[in-house]
Structures are given as structure tokens and as C-alpha cells.
Amino acid sequence: MREEALKSLFPAMVERRRYLHRYPELSFQEQNTSAYVADVLRELGIDTVVGVGGNGVVGTIKGQLPGRTVALRADMDALPIQDEKTCEYASQVQGVMHACGHDGHTSALLAVAEYFSSRREKLQGEIRLLFQPAEEVCPGGALSMIEAGALDGVDVIYGVHLWTPIPVGTTASRPGPLMASTDEFFIELSGRGGHGGMPHAAVDSVVAGSALVLQLQSVVSRSVNPLDPAVVTIGSIHGGTAQNVIADTCRLAGTVRCFHEETRKTIRDRIEQLAQGTAQAYGAGVSIDYMTGYPSLVNHQEEFERFQNVAAKEAGLGVELSPQIMPAEDFAYYLQRVPGCFMLVGAGNPAKNAAYPHHHPKFDIDEEAMLHAASLMIAMAEAYQSDRQ
Ligand SMILES: [Zn+2]
Ligand SMILES: [Zn+2]
């Protein structure tokens, strides 16, 4: 019955997703998307609040039967990428594109809204629909929505990400840490400029910076348990202006990814120690700007088990155990506060040009995956309610 109902909603899902795909908006600028979502919810007679923690929209569907409160979340923002697709629904906005599938998340959650709002007499408890802005850029939209009260009274939360690395028709997740934490750091080494032919009269910041890049390679290899995945990448190093001038400053920028808070702290401490020590060894000064981003996304065991039980039986999907993955997600903040599970929904299908990685200028999804995402969220919500009656 759920499957039939969702199939009848599929044309609207495609139409809404393609509208959002044509008119993408960057993180923190989702005014049109937010208004579009609110219009659809209000047309469905759903109690709707806009401007929650920025451009967030919260819809509330109260069932006529007693029960708990289940939150379902979709993110709405796009990326600063020029769309290279040529299909009729390619982005109409120069330099902005839904290259992560958030248009599909929004459209799938709107279908879930339509499904539950037409079944209030059979619905237990409350469904809280969270349409979240700004997932792609730290500090993200999740924290500000939480601070605005979006999670108040919520018992459990579920979210999905359409995922092209796995084929359409399958879904994957894992218990515990699924996605990495992400931090950024910027280090500036200051020496003393001088003539390239008279290094003894200068302090060479490029030599100190080069030494530090190599020292930092020992953080993961020597200070982190080899069974605990972690990455320290220096993505940029800049210093100097000419071949015969000793540079007085050298700047390094990098990113850190890992899965456990203790590891995250160890890595930060080691980076700071090595920067201080290396600078001192080369007679340079140092300043470190370390910016913490999203924490690791940690699924709750019981809710992961519900996913395993429900995904095949109720949503008809192939179920895989996902490996840990290095991208970060601010859904992590919701899971720090209430139990829940984040699930990857297969959206890859080379036959439909949906074979590019996320954030690629030709990224696309197999739109059937939106049906699966909606079906999975509904099945999880219903299974939770009947379990907790
Ligand atoms: Zn993304
Ligand atoms: Zn994303």
C-alpha cells in the first residue's frame, strides 16, 4: 500500500526536484527554496514555520493516534559549481549547482509530507519535518536549527543521503561512526626576509614551512592507532615572491578527518606541537589558526538495527554495510542529541548518466532513488512508532 501511494506521488517528486535543480541556491542563501518548500507544506495543510535557524523550514504533522515524535531531515543547499549537464533541467543559475543531491532529499521529504498528511487518522504520534539550510558550509544549518528549537520534544531522528557510489535499489549504513569529523587549519611561519645569496643574514620561512609539511606526515603514521582511520592533508603551501629573495612568511593550509573525538584531539595537539617545535628549530615565529568543523557522524546501535530490519522487508531495498567514509555531515549534531540513524540511498546508474561522484560538474542521480529514500524514511518512522507504542 505504501509502495502504491508513493508511486502515485513520483511524478510530483520528479517535477519538484527538477524545479529545485534548475534554480539552486548556495548555503545560507536558500530563500527561494525555503519559500517553495513552505508553499508545498501549507498547500498540504501542514503546520509550517519558516525562518527556523536561518532559512530552515519545520513542518509538523500530528497523527490522530497517540505516539512519539519522529524527526525526518532533508538538506536544501547547492554548491558553487558550474553545471556541465545539457539536460532540460540543468541549472539555470550561473556557477551554482545541486551537485550533491540535496534537491532530491528535499523533494523526497516533501513526498513523505504528502504521504503522512493524507493519513493522519492512521498516524501515531508526530512527524517533524526538518528542511535544513547550509549543510555544505561550516558552521552549517543543523546547529542553528537545533538552537531554534527544531529538536525540542523529538524522540528519534532519521536522515538520508542519495549516494551515487552505490547502485540505485540498494541502501547502506553502519552502526557507530559512519562519517568523519572535519577540521581546518592555517599555519603561518614568519622568518626574516633577505637576499637569496646571503641566507646567513635571514631566516628562511620556506625551509621552515617545507620541514613542517614533512613533520606533519608523522601525525597519522606515528601518533594515531593504525586501526583508527585518520587523514592530515596539507592542501596548500605559499611563500615567497622571487627566485633570489628569501621569503619572510610561508603559509600552510590543511584539513583533518577522523572518526573519534580522542583521535581528533590527539591530532590537533600534535599539529600544534610540531608547528611550534619546527618553527623554533628554524628560528621562525608561528601562528596557528585551527578551526573545528562538523563532528563525526555516529549512528545509534538500536536505530541502525531498525534500519537493517526495515530496509529490505519494508522498503524493498538491497541492504549493505557501508564502510566508514571521509566526507562530513552536520546531521552529526542531531545524533549527538537524540538517537537516530543516517542512511545512504543508492542513486548511481550509468544508464541514466548518474555515475559521477558527488560535487562533480556532471553530477546527477537516478530519480527512482527518491522513491527509495521516501519509502525508507516512512518505513523507519512507522517501525519506530509501532515498536514504541
Ligand atoms: Zn556535498
Ligand atoms: Zn550532501
Side-chain angles (χ1 to χ4, degrees):
M1 193 195 72
R2 182 192 311 126
E3 208 178 323
E4 289 306 305
L6 275 174
K7 271 196 183 133
S8 72
L9 298 176
F10 187 58
M13 267 192 238
V14 170
E15 192 188 321
R16 289 177 189 139
R17 181 257 165 171
R18 292 186 177 189
Y19 170 79
L20 296 171
H21 202 83
R22 279 189 207 100
Y23 304 105
E25 292 176 302
L26 291 174
S27 312
F28 301 105
Q29 299 174 29
E30 310 89 342
Q31 285 89 354
N32 177 54
T33 308
S34 160
Y36 179 84
V37 164
D39 280 351
V40 175
L41 295 178
R42 285 179 178 139
E43 263 172 46
L44 294 168
I46 294 170
D47 181 16
T48 303
V49 183
V50 297
V52 182
N55 292 318
V57 181
V58 175
T60 302
I61 308 171
K62 285 209 161 71
Q64 290 175 10
L65 304 174
R68 303 232 180 168
T69 298
V70 178
L72 303 172
R73 174 270 210 169
D75 42 11
M76 304 189 289
D77 55 329
L79 287 155
I81 296 172
Q82 177 62 40
D83 195 342
E84 289 181 6
K85 296 194 300 301
T86 51
C87 58
E88 55 89 18
Y89 55 87
S91 173
Q92 303 288 304
V93 183
Q94 186 73 20
V96 183
M97 177 191 175
H98 269 295
C100 202
H102 299 184
D103 51 341
H105 304 163
T106 300
S107 180
L109 191 56
L110 286 171
V112 172
E114 202 160 348
Y115 176 90
F116 281 125
S117 67
S118 62
R119 283 167 184 75
R120 289 175 211 247
E121 70 288 350
K122 291 184 205 131
L123 175 63
Q124 298 170 271
E126 179 184 322
I127 302 291
R128 184 90 51 90
L129 307 155
L130 307 184
F131 292 90
Q132 185 208 301
E135 188 283 322
E136 295 284 3
V137 178
C138 288
L143 265 188
S144 55
M145 284 190 81
I146 292 168
E147 279 157 16
L151 273 191
D152 294 356
V154 167
D155 294 298
V156 73
I157 186 163
Y158 304 117
V160 294
H161 208 301
L162 300 175
W163 206 241
T164 58
I166 56 175
V168 69
T170 58
T171 179
S173 189
R174 74 179 287 123
L178 169 66
M179 299 175 81
S181 60
T182 174
D183 298 324
E184 293 171 349
F185 61 91
F186 303 85
I187 299 174
E188 184 171 303
L189 294 145
S190 44
R192 193 169 61 247
H195 195 289
M198 295 189 287
H200 58 287
V203 175
D204 193 339
S205 65
V206 165
V207 172
S210 308
L212 180 55
V213 171
L214 295 180
Q215 292 295 335
L216 291 172
Q217 307 310 309
S218 73
V219 175
V220 172
S221 73
R222 302 293 90 183
S223 300
V224 175
N225 184 332
L227 299 177
D228 185 10
V231 175
V232 174
T233 288
I234 304 296
S236 141
I237 172 166
H238 287 283
T241 51
Q243 81 287 355
N244 59 350
V245 177
I246 288 176
D248 60 355
T249 57
C250 180
R251 294 184 187 87
L252 274 54
T255 184
V256 173
R257 309 282 167 127
C258 65
F259 291 93
H260 296 101
E261 282 302 312
E262 321 85 82
T263 311
R264 197 180 186 191
K265 183 167 183 330
T266 301
I267 291 174
R268 179 181 182 155
D269 289 348
R270 290 297 294 142
I271 288 173
E272 289 177 350
Q273 286 164 357
L274 286 167
Q276 302 283 4
T278 306
Q280 198 185 14
Y282 285 83
V286 65
S287 72
I288 305 162
D289 194 4
Y290 200 97
M291 292 153 79
T292 47
Y294 300 157
S296 172
L297 183 150
V298 183
N299 280 328
H300 291 238
Q301 180 69 32
E302 194 184 343
E303 298 308 325
F304 169 77
E305 285 168 12
R306 192 183 316 284
F307 159 77
Q308 276 193 312
N309 293 334
V310 157
K313 217 166 21 182
E314 299 293 331
L317 298 169
V319 182
E320 291 173 8
L321 181 68
S322 175
Q324 292 184 315
I325 51 178
M326 284 295 169
E329 240 294 344
D330 70 350
F331 194 83
Y333 289 119
Y334 302 113
L335 292 177
Q336 285 183 332
R337 286 155 179 88
V338 293
C341 190
F342 192 68
M343 302 160 287
L344 304 173
V345 174
N349 185 355
K352 294 187 185 171
N353 277 332
Y356 294 96
H358 290 252
H359 298 200
H360 188 283
K362 288 186 178 159
F363 177 82
D364 205 354
I365 54 166
D366 182 335
E367 290 172 323
E368 295 269 331
M370 294 191 290
L371 267 180
H372 304 153
S375 176
L376 187 57
M377 286 191 277
I378 292 168
M380 289 295 284
E382 289 179 344
Y384 179 83
Q385 293 289 12
S386 47
D387 199 32
R388 293 304 171 104
Q389 230 182 353

